[in-house]
Amino acid sequence: MATNLDCELCADPGGELLWEDDVCRVVRVGGAEGAAFPGYCRVICRQHVAEMSTLSAGDAHRVMDVVLATERALRFSVQPDKINLASLGNLVPHLHWHVIPRWRDDSHFPAPIWAAAQRSAKPRPVVGSARLQQALKTELSTLPE
């Protein structure tokens, strides 16, 4: 599997590891972003590629299946008003998807989380990693191998 030792997502998990297989891993984002958007996850491709179209069809389908399973797990676990999905990679050109729970009254809504805050952050209950992992495991168990 191609890696790049200069790439932060090849060298580091990129967050708290919740799940992984041979194609990708799901991590929970920490720090200020994780506190403002509880449950915020990234699905990170294990191969060092910048674009979905570089992956084989099977690996691309697997990544998208995991993104959707992560979305369903977050919807169940944190019950947001909306989920944002984004694959940008402008600063870190290593394929990864952001799976971001959003609320109508969060600090940035309706703008993206990378825009200027619209209001002060509202404290939100933190969802434990065990609960998030269980929801993710339940959703991933329905995927084809």
Side-chain angles (χ1 to χ4, degrees):
M1 188 153 311
T3 59
N4 178 340
L5 297 179
D6 294 327
C7 171
E8 66 185 79
L9 294 180
C10 286
D12 187 74
E16 176 192 352
L17 183 63
L18 299 174
W19 176 89
E20 68 182 329
D21 70 3
D22 292 341
V23 177
C24 57
R25 65 184 175 272
V26 179
V27 300
R28 182 182 194 150
V29 174
E33 288 179 320
F37 306 97
Y40 176 3
C41 290
R42 286 189 193 107
V43 176
I44 303 169
C45 186
R46 292 180 60 98
Q47 292 181 57
H48 181 76
V49 298
E51 309 300 342
M52 285 288 292
S53 58
T54 305
L55 296 174
S56 69
D59 285 353
H61 285 285
R62 180 65 174 179
V63 169
M64 289 311 303
D65 284 345
V66 173
V67 167
L68 295 174
T70 303
E71 177 185 308
R72 287 189 299 271
L74 285 176
R75 288 179 59 207
F76 173 79
S77 299
V78 301
Q79 300 180 342
D81 295 321
K82 180 75 175 92
I83 295 282
N84 288 173
L85 300 176
S87 178
L88 306 170
N90 297 330
L91 295 177
V92 181
H94 180 124
L95 182 61
H96 62 286
W97 284 85
H98 300 265
V99 186
I100 311 162
R102 299 297 306 275
W103 291 266
R104 288 179 189 93
D105 61 352
D106 73 36
S107 58
H108 290 67
F109 197 87
I113 68 166
W114 300 284
Q118 310 270 328
R119 65 197 63 78
S120 297
K122 226 180 158 176
R124 300 223 177 264
V126 175
V127 173
S129 294
R131 180 175 177 183
L132 193 51
Q133 282 179 310
Q134 184 56 50
L136 189 56
K137 182 179 175 183
T138 298
E139 292 300 330
L140 290 166
S141 71
T142 66
L143 300 180
E145 290 294 320

